[in-house]
Amino acid sequence: MAQYYVGVDVGGTTVKMGMFSDTGELLEKWEIPTRLEEQGSYILPDIVDSIEEKRETFPGNIKGIGVGIPGPVSNDGTVLKCANLGWDVFSVSNKLADLTGVGNVKVGNDANVAALGEMWKGGGRGYDSIVMVTLGTGVGGGIILQGKILTGCNGAGGEIGHTKVNPDETAVCGCGNRGCLEQYASATGIVNMAKKNLRGDSCLAGQEITAKAVFDGAKAGDAYCLEVVDAFGKYLGLALSNVAHVVDPEAFVIGGGVSAAGQIILDVVEKYYNENSMFALKNKKFHLAELGNDAGIYGAVRMVLFK
């Protein structure tokens, strides 16, 4: 009888799911709405119902279910509160195991799980120790060491976005601190930097400023856009250097919506990374993420397919 593994990536709007073979091949992917009513009490039952529906197409045994959650998760699969979903502290792995009868259930923070997916099938292929940073509305991160997620004792390992990179900052980050990487390297942070000292001779003047517009302007040689991109690279390169001095990865993978700017990001970040790193840590490999929104389901399956 065929054996299957299910990858689940729980988001605030949708739950992305994938059915995988026992060799790690993605057979089908789909989404269901994330129902947040009643403190998110419908989310796990909806996931279970959706898996059961797919078993008509994929008759056989479900051998493992991996799940990424947008919040801190301990090593035993306990969610340490998740405000975005309305969840308090409880064991997602035990609950899913009870609902499905599947004993092999693993749960992790969504950014960490995505990093594991990129290491396995994406921009981090060929390495077993990577740092992934996700540049979107915020800045997320995941650290994979020797094929395993570095979760930390409170499930908050890899929170690269809240590394302090500017002790002189006066504006407050969403986390309550000041000078966090997220204030400069997220899409929002890039826009804020661009607006701060916008010059009339820049291509940005008189138009809606977006992170894409900043990078497009820099590629076209706009002097002001180049300054903003340089500042972005300085802060991100410094943060990744600090991380490398602690975990010494083989490579860095940069993903998220901002990473669509491409090679210009790798070039400027690598420059400042090397300027801030000791000799033994210089010249690490930098890659763009490749899996996009599928990184989470790949990483979730990787957790249960290879223990």
Side-chain angles (χ1 to χ4, degrees), residues 84 111 132-141 158-163 173-175 180-192 211 232 236 254-259:
N84 291 343
M132 181 176 173
V133 58
T134 305
L135 311 176
T137 305
V139 174
E159 286 288 355
I160 296 167
H162 298 291
T163 301
C173 176
C175 74
C180 294
L181 175 64
E182 189 167 289
Q183 293 178 268
Y184 314 101
S186 66
T188 305
I190 293 165
V191 169
N192 289 340
F232 155 87
L236 183 51
I254 300 177
V258 174
S259 71

Side-chain angles (χ1 to χ4, degrees), residues 100-137:
T100 62
V102 176
N104 182 17
V105 177
K106 301 289 184 184
V107 183
N109 168 266
D110 58 353
N112 291 336
V113 170
L116 189 63
E118 286 289 345
M119 182 213 74
W120 183 35
K121 295 286 189 177
R125 287 190 311 278
Y127 307 105
D128 67 4
S129 295
I130 69 166
V131 171
M132 181 176 173
V133 58
T134 305
L135 311 176
T137 305

Side-chain angles (χ1 to χ4, degrees), residues 140-188:
I143 300 172
I144 310 299
L145 294 179
Q146 297 180 334
K148 297 185 180 299
I149 295 171
L150 179 65
T151 58
C153 61
N154 293 313
E159 286 288 355
I160 296 167
H162 298 291
T163 301
K164 186 180 289 291
V165 292
N166 183 5
D168 298 322
E169 180 61 70
T170 56
V172 179
C173 176
C175 74
N177 290 326
R178 293 175 172 82
C180 294
L181 175 64
E182 189 167 289
Q183 293 178 268
Y184 314 101
S186 66
T188 305

